[in-house]
């Protein structure tokens, strides 16, 4: 009998295996029609011929994926290129872009420049595998998966400089020699690997989505020898051009150098529109024998400015002829203010805002002689990184050397850690400590082991009863654990959400109408009381913008580099992609929709999942949320007078502060519909106010104890700062981070992944073209739909569907918490422009 049973079992196993092979055999045996020969994630390296150079990507920053493939056989079905990579929690994310192979003959090799759309991914810091596959839209694989096992994103603290058009020959920075923990070698990685270069010299490989530049802290666009054709093709391509400009508009930093090819640059209207000054079209270039340069030194370097003469042996230096714009204020960086009335008063470097970002124009070529042979080019490049990008972040942690092969960490990113911790903390939901878990596990083992054995042998005298008592004990303990957890953690959905809303107001003197653009950043965490899958999207709330714009939102996961790892069961969700949606290229949107939502995000029972979103929209000129009526008095362009009208849907915005020309002016509370008259007198230096009352120690208090025993959000003694409402997070130290930092030894920036939100550069004394008003909305709590569907929330969260024309947003059940900061950019116009 035993032999027969064994034979029957073996026969059944063989039949099962044969059936499985028969079921999957055709799919496995079918030869692939496409072969992926290479896939690279990130911006192209500065030295592509160096075998050790790898593409540049950062943790949690979108990066383009460049794929090379070979078509082996004819493909007639619609195909797509699929990229799969884990998020910070180890859950696999999927992003697919269309791939037109129907007209491609077998034997054809395609590189990234031949593909109509680039795929993108957000690299996490785990050890998960990234795969690239070609498949039909029905899901049939057309290629074997190409596995990327060496993806090692840089940490957010690395300062990335991306050059467009050339590889910046001669680029270098001053080496740290003293005053730091470690001396920096004369050759090798720049600033110990904390400043890294990437270069794109082929316009066909430029990102076609604005977030493809997200890993770059500074973009340098050159127009010198060899770059003129690149410049023309960039600005002739509406998709590639708009991707770059939209990145700047959303907070990117762009440096443009124009010299010998200023004539060609002057003929590009889209470029002229971006630049702080115009390039004269009638005489775009002037030839000078000597170009004197004066620029500011680092605060830790020397007290006075650095100077030098740019000269060319036996020839002249081509310099772009610049002219100020009538309707756009810009500040002259070179020559400095104290030399703008002398012999060398012609503007050589100028700067102005462009949306939330800034554009710096240098009127000579940074990629050709004589600058590449300039003896002081290291100091000048240091100035370019500080003035064009982030002042203190580009210094590189005061010379602190970074390990060459180190992976992503939270170093110098404590602001992001505090923010993630804050939105992931739910009032009334206790976190069970490991000690309690260990104690309960010990009691459970004691119960099913010695105690059960004692009762069965000493009390009942029948050990065989364990077949009944053991499952009863296990079932009872499981039910008790579930009921206890349900009582402690609750059975309702909870959502914590935080928004930063930035309103860039504008006035069009041609039409006499007020308008502008709205930019928002949202962080939120969902606490799920059950095992569920969520389809997530974010849109501006009603009354803020003129209407929804396809592709205006970007939604992704939020997490740290040391988050969870993939489990035994592979869970996954997909980014929503529809590259056929959207208007033609315009001022604010790139054609198509990519990553504007997440589909089927799995969340375990009593677990949380965090998300982030960036969204934008045009302000409705018929009903602008903010209307600026500020102007310079007649004959005094240094002052600002007038009013602004607040029509934001909030009932009130509290703790408002106005910043103008490097000074801070507290103005208190403004209410909906109020016309606020600004009285800008008795100001305090902006950096002093932010350091004393900006509550940066409280913002960092969630990750490092600035004052032992003080809770996050509580004002430090002696600062006389407005304490944040209970349970809220003060964000002044995020919005003006570098200005809020003290200049003490060892103080370095802590906002590595959120540098784009730092607008400290606008607090310069020379910036008299705008008034910045910052305030916060008192954080309400209550039913989630009342909060997120009412006037207290500037954004709308979708949890069970994707936004789209004609779609109604499903109500958000459960409870919620909403926190909002607003930052208004109010233009100060010349006298007589306003009606």
């Amino acid at each position: 009998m035993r032999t027969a049973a064994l034979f029957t079992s073996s026969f059944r196993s063989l039949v099962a295996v044969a059936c499985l092979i028969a079921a999957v055999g055709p799919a496995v045996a079918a030869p692939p029609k496409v072969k992926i020969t290479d896939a690279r994630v990130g911006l192209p390296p500065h030295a592509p011929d160096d075998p050790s150079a790898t593409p540049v990507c950062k943790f949690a920053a979108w990066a383009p994926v460049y794929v090379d493939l070979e078509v082996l056989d004819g493909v007639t079905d619609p195909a797509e290129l699929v990229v799969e990579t884990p998020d910070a929690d180890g859950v696999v994310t999927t992003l697919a872009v269309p791939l037109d192979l129907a007209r491609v003959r077998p034997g054809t090799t395609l590189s990234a420049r031949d593909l109509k759309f680039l795929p993108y991914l957000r690299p996490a810091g785990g050890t998960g595998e990234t795969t690239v596959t070609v498949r039909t839209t029905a899901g049939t694989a057309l290629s074997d998966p190409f596995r990327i096992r060496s993806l090692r994103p840089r940490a957010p603290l690395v300062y990335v400089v991306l050059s467009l058009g050339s590889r910046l020959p001669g680029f270098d920075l001053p080496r740290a020699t003293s005053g730091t923990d470690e001396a920096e070698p004369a050759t090798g990685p720049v600033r110990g690997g904390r400043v890294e270069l990437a270069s794109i010299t082929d316009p066909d490989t430029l990102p076609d989505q604005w977030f493809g530049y997200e890993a770059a802290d500074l973009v340098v666009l050159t127009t010198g020898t060899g770059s003129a054709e690149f410049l023309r093709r960039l600005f002739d391509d509406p998709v590639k051009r708009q991707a770059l400009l939209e990145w700047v508009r959303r907070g990117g930093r762009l440096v443009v150098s124009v010299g010998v090819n200023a004539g060609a640059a002057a003929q590009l209207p889209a470029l002229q529109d971006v630049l702080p000054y115009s390039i004269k079209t009638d005489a775009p270039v002037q030839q000078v024998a000597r170009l004197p340069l004066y620029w500011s030194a680092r605060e830790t370097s020397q007290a006075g400015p650095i100077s030098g003469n740019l000269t060319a042996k036996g020839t002249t230096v081509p310099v772009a002829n610049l002219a100020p714009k009538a309707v756009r204020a810009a500040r002259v960086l070179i020559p400095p203010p104290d030399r703008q009335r002398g012999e060398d008063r012609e503007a050589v470097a100028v700067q102005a805002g462009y949306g939330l970002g800034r554009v710096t124009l240098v009127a000579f070529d940074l990629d050709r002689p004589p600058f590449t042979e300039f003896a002081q080019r290291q100091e000048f490049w240091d100035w370019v990184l500080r003035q064009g990008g982030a002042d203190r972040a580009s210094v590189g942690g005061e010379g602190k050397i970074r390990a060459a092969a180190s992976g992503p960490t939270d170093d110098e990113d404590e602001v992001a850690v505090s923010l993630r911790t804050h939105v992931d903390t739910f009032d009334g939901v206790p976190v069970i400590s490991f000690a309690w878990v260990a104690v309960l596990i010990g009691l459970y083992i004691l119960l099913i082991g010695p105690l059960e054995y004692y009762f069965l042998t000493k009390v009942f005298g029948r050990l065989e009863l364990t077949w009944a008592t053991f499952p009863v004990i296990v079932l009872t303990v499981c039910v008790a654990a579930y009921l206890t957890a349900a009582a402690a953690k609750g059975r309702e959905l909870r959502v914590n959400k935080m928004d930063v809303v930035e309103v860039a107001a504008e006035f069009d003197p041609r039409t006499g109408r007020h308008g502008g653009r709205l930019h928002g950043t949202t962080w939120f965490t969902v606490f799920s009381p059950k095992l569920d899958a969520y389809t997530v999207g974010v849109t501006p709330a009603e009354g803020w913008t003129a209407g929804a714009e396809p592709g205006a939102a970007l939604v992704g996961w939020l997490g740290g580099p040391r988050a969870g790892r993939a489990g035994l069961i592979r869970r996954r969700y997909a980014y929503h992609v529809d590259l056929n949606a959207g208007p033609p290229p315009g001022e604010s949107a790139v054609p198509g929709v990519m990553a504007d939502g997440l589909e089927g995000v799995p969340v375990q029972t009593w677990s949380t999942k965090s998300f982030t979103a960036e969204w934008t929209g045009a302000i409705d000129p018929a009903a602008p949320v903010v209307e600026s009526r500020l102007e310079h008095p007649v004959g005094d362009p240094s002052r600002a007078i007038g009013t602004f009208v607040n029509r934001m849907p909030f009932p009130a915005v509290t703790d408002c502060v106005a910043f103008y020309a490097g000074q801070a002016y507290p103005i208190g509370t403004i209410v909906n519909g109020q016309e606020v008259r600004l009285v800008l007198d008795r100001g305090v230096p902006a950096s002093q106010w932010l350091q004393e009352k900006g509550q940066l120690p409280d913002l960092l208090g969630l990750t490092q104890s600035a004052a032992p025993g003080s809770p996050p959000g509580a004002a430090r003694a002696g600062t006389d700062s407005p304490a944040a409402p209970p349970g809220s997070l003060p964000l002044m130290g995020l919005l003006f981070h570098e200005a809020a930092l003290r200049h003490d030894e060892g103080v370095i920036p802590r906002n590595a992944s959120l540098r784009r939100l730092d607008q400290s550069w606008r607090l310069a004394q020379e910036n008299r073209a705008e008034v910045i008003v910052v305030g916060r909305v008192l954080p309400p709590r209550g039913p989630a739909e009342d909060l997120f569907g009412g006037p207290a929330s500037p954004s709308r969260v979708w949890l069970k569907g994707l936004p789209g024309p004609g779609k109604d947003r499903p109500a958000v059940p459960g409870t919620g918490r909403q926190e909002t900061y607003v930052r208004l950019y109010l233009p100060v116009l010349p006298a007589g422009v306003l009606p």
Side-chain angles (χ1 to χ4, degrees):
M1 290 295 294
R2 184 174 181 181
T3 303
L6 181 62
F7 174 80
T8 302
S9 175
S10 301
F11 178 77
R12 288 177 178 175
S13 301
L14 290 174
V15 170
V17 171
C19 292
L20 181 62
I21 293 175
V24 302
V28 173
K33 295 185 176 182
V34 178
K35 179 182 179 181
I36 299 176
T37 57
D38 193 18
R40 305 167 300 281
V41 178
L43 301 169
H46 176 66
D49 297 331
D50 184 354
S52 63
T54 59
V56 179
C57 62
K58 282 186 180 182
F59 169 79
W62 286 94
V65 182
Y66 299 99
V67 180
D68 299 333
L69 50 87
E70 180 182 356
V71 179
L72 305 176
D73 198 356
V75 178
T76 57
D77 296 327
E80 57 187 8
L81 190 60
V82 183
V83 178
E84 296 181 308
T85 191
D87 66 7
D89 296 321
V91 184
V92 176
T93 65
T94 301
L95 187 144
V97 298
L99 189 62
D100 186 7
L101 299 177
R103 292 187 294 272
V104 179
R105 292 182 297 180
T108 303
T109 299
L110 301 177
S111 65
R113 64 174 59 89
D114 301 315
L115 305 182
K116 185 177 181 180
F117 302 109
L118 281 177
Y120 296 83
L121 63 79
R122 292 184 74 208
T127 57
E129 185 176 74
T130 298
T131 62
V132 182
T133 312
V134 178
R135 70 185 184 193
T136 66
T137 54
T140 302
L142 297 176
S143 75
D144 294 329
F146 186 93
R147 306 183 189 279
I148 305 175
R149 297 184 174 91
S150 59
L151 181 59
R152 292 293 182 268
R154 278 66 163 177
L157 63 90
V158 175
Y159 195 86
V160 176
V161 179
L162 171 64
S163 64
L164 303 181
S166 73
R167 301 194 186 280
L168 300 183
F171 177 89
D172 202 359
L173 296 173
R175 304 282 169 161
T177 57
S178 61
T180 59
D181 295 334
E182 301 178 60
E184 191 175 355
T187 60
V190 181
R191 287 187 175 153
R194 297 169 64 85
V195 175
E196 192 162 348
L197 266 67
S199 301
I200 298 179
T201 56
D202 182 355
D204 290 329
T205 59
L206 285 165
D208 56 4
Q209 298 283 342
W210 68 266
F211 50 82
Y213 294 94
E214 194 173 29
D217 294 285
L218 178 67
V219 171
V220 180
L221 175 62
T222 59
T223 62
T225 304
S227 302
E229 178 65 13
F230 181 96
L231 183 70
R232 183 192 64 79
R233 291 180 60 186
L234 166 60
F235 280 87
D236 283 349
D237 188 326
V239 173
K240 303 289 181 66
R241 179 188 70 228
Q242 191 59 29
L244 175 62
L245 300 187
E246 183 66 13
W247 172 76
V248 179
R249 190 181 288 112
R250 295 197 187 210
R253 285 86 190 271
L254 174 67
V255 173
V256 183
S257 75
V258 181
V260 67
N261 289 317
Q267 302 303 317
L268 298 172
L271 177 60
Q272 288 272 42
D273 179 64
V274 175
L275 298 179
Y277 270 34
S278 297
I279 303 173
K280 296 180 180 179
T281 55
D282 53 345
V285 183
Q286 59 175 322
Q287 301 290 338
V288 300
R290 177 184 66 89
L291 180 63
L293 299 175
Y294 303 89
W295 66 92
S296 60
R298 285 176 52 191
E299 293 180 0
T300 57
S301 178
Q302 62 186 60
I306 303 174
S307 62
N309 291 317
L310 200 61
T311 59
K313 296 179 181 179
T315 184
T316 56
V317 181
V319 181
N321 261 329
L322 306 181
K325 296 181 177 180
V327 295
R328 187 178 181 190
R331 62 187 184 116
V332 178
L333 303 178
I334 299 177
D338 59 343
R339 293 185 175 271
Q340 292 175 10
R341 292 183 176 85
E343 178 183 354
D344 305 318
R345 63 179 180 273
E346 293 292 332
V348 177
V350 293
Q351 186 179 89
Y354 186 77
L356 302 185
R358 59 171 158 172
V359 179
T360 305
L361 173 61
V362 179
F364 59 88
D365 292 312
L366 297 174
D367 61 338
R368 64 186 300 272
F371 179 75
T372 55
E373 302 168 353
F374 187 37
Q376 293 171 290
R377 69 178 183 277
Q378 288 182 326
E379 288 76 12
F380 193 86
W381 271 120
D382 180 70
W383 175 86
V384 169
L385 266 62
R386 288 185 289 108
Q387 287 293 328
D391 188 6
R392 298 176 69 171
S394 64
V395 171
E398 301 296 333
K400 180 181 176 182
I401 304 299
R402 176 178 174 267
S406 61
T409 67
D410 281 326
D411 291 349
E412 299 181 22
D413 206 20
E414 286 92 336
V415 173
V417 177
S418 292
L419 199 151
R420 291 198 307 264
T421 303
H422 183 68
V423 297
D424 197 38
T425 301
F426 289 85
D427 298 334
V429 180
V431 177
I432 307 300
S433 67
F434 177 76
W436 274 110
V437 173
V439 169
L440 293 175
I441 291 176
L443 292 177
Y444 175 67
I445 294 174
L446 185 66
L447 178 63
I448 63 174
L451 289 178
E452 184 193 26
Y453 178 80
Y454 176 81
F455 275 93
L456 292 180
T457 56
K458 302 300 183 182
V459 178
F460 297 102
R462 300 181 60 182
L463 190 60
E464 65 272 15
L465 290 179
T466 188
W467 292 101
T469 57
F470 181 80
V472 170
I473 292 174
V474 171
L475 183 61
T476 302
V477 170
C478 290
V479 171
Y482 175 83
L483 295 177
T484 302
K489 295 181 177 294
R491 294 185 174 89
E492 64 178 358
L493 182 78
R494 297 170 183 255
V495 181
N496 288 343
K497 186 162 76 76
M498 176 175 286
D499 289 282
V500 170
V501 183
E502 314 207 57
V503 183
E506 298 175 0
F507 175 75
D508 189 346
R510 296 169 298 180
T511 62
R513 306 187 75 182
H514 295 268
R517 194 142 193 92
L518 183 78
H519 301 271
T521 304
T522 300
W523 303 271
F524 62 101
T525 298
V526 175
F527 172 83
S528 180
K530 61 180 180 180
L531 178 65
D532 205 348
Y534 297 88
T535 296
V536 181
V538 176
T539 56
E542 304 80 15
W544 284 90
T545 63
E549 297 178 2
L554 178 69
V555 182
W557 50 264
L558 179 66
R562 300 187 185 92
R565 297 293 183 263
L568 295 177
I569 301 176
R570 287 179 64 86
R571 299 168 293 155
R572 66 183 63 239
Y573 59 93
Y575 290 99
H576 176 247
V577 176
D578 184 1
L579 293 175
N580 297 316
E587 284 297 316
S588 60
V590 175
V593 170
M594 183 178 289
D596 68 328
L598 304 173
E599 300 180 276
V601 182
V603 184
Q604 304 300 308
T605 305
W606 296 312
S607 296
T608 62
K609 186 71 175 180
S610 299
F611 307 92
T612 180
E614 298 176 43
W615 42 274
T616 185
I619 296 174
D620 187 359
V625 291
V626 172
E627 184 177 318
S628 177
R629 300 171 183 170
L630 301 174
E631 62 181 352
H632 297 295
V634 177
D636 189 358
S638 65
R639 296 176 54 226
I641 60 173
T643 64
F644 70 92
V645 180
N646 166 39
R647 298 193 185 92
M648 292 182 289
F650 308 120
V653 181
T654 65
D655 302 319
C656 295
V657 182
F659 297 94
Y660 177 69
Q663 300 288 306
Y665 304 89
I667 58 177
T669 299
I670 59 176
V671 298
N672 179 270
Q674 178 183 1
E675 182 172 2
V676 182
R677 179 167 297 278
L678 286 180
V679 181
L680 302 179
D681 60 358
R682 298 182 182 179
V684 178
S687 58
Q688 176 185 334
W689 190 93
L690 288 165
Q691 290 168 16
E692 294 178 353
K693 302 183 181 182
Q695 295 181 277
L696 179 59
D698 298 308
L699 174 59
L700 299 177
L702 295 179
T703 54
Q704 59 182 34
S705 217
S710 58
R716 300 287 178 253
T719 62
D720 193 29
S721 61
S728 68
L729 187 69
L731 291 187
M732 276 290 189
L734 165 66
L735 302 179
F736 301 101
H737 184 71
E738 292 201 351
L741 292 172
R742 299 188 180 275
H743 296 282
D744 300 335
E745 184 178 355
V747 176
I748 57 177
R750 303 289 180 180
N751 64 335
S753 64
L754 298 169
R755 291 173 185 146
R756 67 175 183 82
L757 291 174
D758 184 7
Q759 296 288 342
S760 298
W761 67 275
R762 294 181 185 263
L763 304 181
Q765 185 177 358
E766 298 81 15
N767 183 18
R768 301 177 184 273
E770 62 187 352
V771 172
I772 301 175
V773 176
V774 182
R776 62 188 172 199
V777 180
L778 293 177
R781 291 176 173 81
E785 185 57 26
D786 292 347
L787 286 181
F788 306 140
S793 174
S795 62
R796 298 290 184 249
V797 171
W798 298 58
L799 293 182
K800 286 295 181 178
L802 291 173
K807 293 184 178 180
D808 294 328
R809 182 180 61 85
V812 179
T815 59
R817 185 183 74 198
Q818 170 69 47
E819 298 175 56
T820 307
Y821 268 75
V822 295
R823 179 161 52 184
L824 313 179
Y825 303 85
L826 308 176
V828 182
L829 301 175
V833 174
L834 289 170

